[in-house]
Amino acid sequence: MTSTTERTLILVKPDGVARGLSGEVLRRVEAKGYRLEAAELRTPDRHLLEEHYAEHAGKPFFEPLVEFMASGPVLAVVASGNRVIEGFRSLAGATDPTAAAPGTIRGDLGRTWDTAVTQNIVHGSDSLESAEREIALWFPAAARA
Ligand code: IDP
Ligand code: MG
């Protein structure tokens, strides 16, 4: 990838893949006008997830989160476009799917299944720095020097 357009890492989490929502998430990303640069379906190992969620290490939801994320296939996607980081966060909606606004991925397709908000269908990078860090973790070949 030689483009200098902003990029973000999107994950369709195990709940989203298991519920058959991968296509719906990609549809919304493409319909918004972003470009798909890479996509891979895989079950991430603990090591990758601990790196990916390093900012949350030590929090009470960290262990259940890593366990949930390792529980099945995840669709990892790199998308690009002007302000795609902010734009995908907006498409995704608030972290808690019960509270997420209708019209968003989490608001339209998610709900809380128990007391936790772990299962919320998607992840999206939250800043330029985390996007490049996360892309390098999930797609080492696509990392920028
Ligand atoms: P984000 O995904 O909206 O950026 P973060 O605060 O970065 O939200 O949290 C990362 C992920 O950890 C969330 O998407 C969700 O799966 C999980 N999570 C966040 N807060 C909680 C919580 O209070 N309980 C359980 N899981 C949580
Ligand atoms: Mg986050």
Side-chain angles (χ1 to χ4, degrees):
M1 267 179 273
T2 54
S3 158
T4 54
T5 313
E6 188 174 300
R7 306 188 298 174
T8 196
L9 181 82
I10 295 167
L11 302 175
V12 181
K13 296 183 178 186
D15 59 327
V17 172
R19 290 178 56 207
L21 297 173
S22 306
E24 174 64 15
V25 171
L26 294 182
R27 188 195 66 72
R28 290 179 183 223
V29 170
E30 289 192 299
K32 181 82 172 172
Y34 301 127
R35 202 182 138 98
L36 305 181
E37 301 283 354
E40 189 190 18
L41 189 70
R42 72 189 235 218
T43 302
D45 62 29
R46 266 199 86 88
H47 177 72
L48 171 60
L49 293 167
E50 285 174 1
E51 290 288 320
H52 176 82
Y53 281 123
E55 67 171 305
H56 297 303
K59 294 183 186 168
F61 64 81
F62 182 74
E63 236 347 278
L65 175 61
V66 167
E67 205 162 297
F68 160 63
M69 290 295 293
S71 69
V74 166
L75 182 68
V77 173
V78 177
S80 68
N82 188 42
R83 296 177 68 188
V84 67
I85 295 170
E86 180 188 1
F88 180 74
R89 298 275 298 181
S90 175
L91 285 182
T95 305
D96 176 351
T98 294
T104 65
I105 293 167
R106 289 162 169 169
D108 285 350
L109 311 171
R111 51 166 286 201
T112 30
W113 302 94
D114 49 35
T115 53
V117 301
T118 318
Q119 301 187 32
N120 57 5
I121 308 173
V122 287
H123 163 83
S125 309
D126 65 5
S127 67
L128 266 179
E129 296 67 34
S130 40
E132 288 305 317
R133 189 182 71 82
E134 292 169 4
I135 290 168
L137 279 174
W138 288 82
F139 294 95
R144 283 182 178 147

